[in-house]
Amino acid sequence: MNGVLPSSFATVISPLMKLALAFLLAAVSANWTGEPVATFTQSDDPELAAARAKARAELPDFLAVLDKRSPDTGGYQVRFALTPTEHIWVENLARDGDGLTGTLAMKPLRSAHQQGDRVTVKLSEVSDWGYWTRDNVAHGFHTYPVLFARLPKVEANARRPELGWPEQ
């Protein structure tokens, strides 16, 4: 994208939603075939719990970026537990008192909700957050490194550039 942030983040969000389906809802199977093969993660996963705690601790930083809405940032999203076992991304965010209102970024796997449904997430329920900068680099997305670490290195390195992150 030549380092220019698109006015509509559709081209950036689309790959992110694919990643979210493959990684954030679940731990991806080690026998990766290119198609998402997912099983839901355990609710007591200590690595994901630590990543979520870090995201919650840094939530004020995200809210400051969201409130400013600089032309150098966009694609603001938060993640929350829609059901006890399914965390899902919400986009098109607006502050709403002690919460954020937006639309579900994908169709939930274990809920009657649909992609695009309007939801309000209390700030205390946010389990992760992220946004993009003009240079097409994702910021936040605290759970991604945990889930990337569970993928074969080749697959993880193929996904990192979609977020503007270097291979490891």
Side-chain angles (χ1 to χ4, degrees):
M1 288 189 224
N2 300 329
V4 176
L5 191 68
S7 58
S8 138
F9 280 85
T11 56
V12 173
I13 299 307
S14 180
L16 178 62
M17 291 306 105
K18 291 177 188 173
L19 282 171
L21 179 59
F23 304 121
L24 294 181
L25 292 178
V28 178
S29 169
N31 61 349
W32 184 261
T33 62
E35 295 296 317
V37 178
T39 58
F40 281 81
T41 59
Q42 295 180 353
S43 59
D44 62 348
D45 183 312
E47 291 174 306
L48 285 174
R52 291 176 184 135
K54 181 177 180 185
R56 280 190 289 278
E58 295 177 2
L59 184 60
D61 298 334
F62 170 74
L63 294 173
V65 171
L66 177 67
D67 290 343
K68 184 176 178 184
R69 300 235 183 219
S70 163
D72 293 328
T73 62
Y76 315 102
Q77 302 171 54
V78 295
R79 185 173 166 239
F80 80 110
L82 181 64
T83 70
T85 59
E86 184 171 12
H87 288 248
I88 193 163
W89 289 101
V90 177
E91 57 190 0
N92 304 312
L93 297 175
R95 291 290 293 267
D96 185 12
D98 69 341
L100 297 162
T101 298
T103 56
L104 295 180
M106 64 186 64
K107 181 178 179 356
L109 297 178
R110 294 187 174 168
S111 169
H113 284 286
Q114 296 296 314
Q115 179 178 1
D117 280 358
R118 196 152 190 74
V119 295
T120 298
V121 180
K122 292 180 182 178
L123 295 178
S124 62
E125 296 174 343
V126 171
S127 61
D128 203 353
W129 53 265
Y131 67 93
W132 299 85
T133 52
R134 181 173 297 279
D135 55 357
N136 298 317
V137 175
H139 296 266
F141 301 101
H142 297 81
T143 52
Y144 274 39
V146 172
L147 297 169
F148 282 161
R150 297 176 182 179
L151 289 175
K153 187 174 184 172
V154 136
E155 182 60 31
N157 280 335
R159 298 292 182 176
R160 284 186 179 94
E162 295 174 20
L163 297 163
W165 296 354
E167 292 183 4
Q168 293 185 350

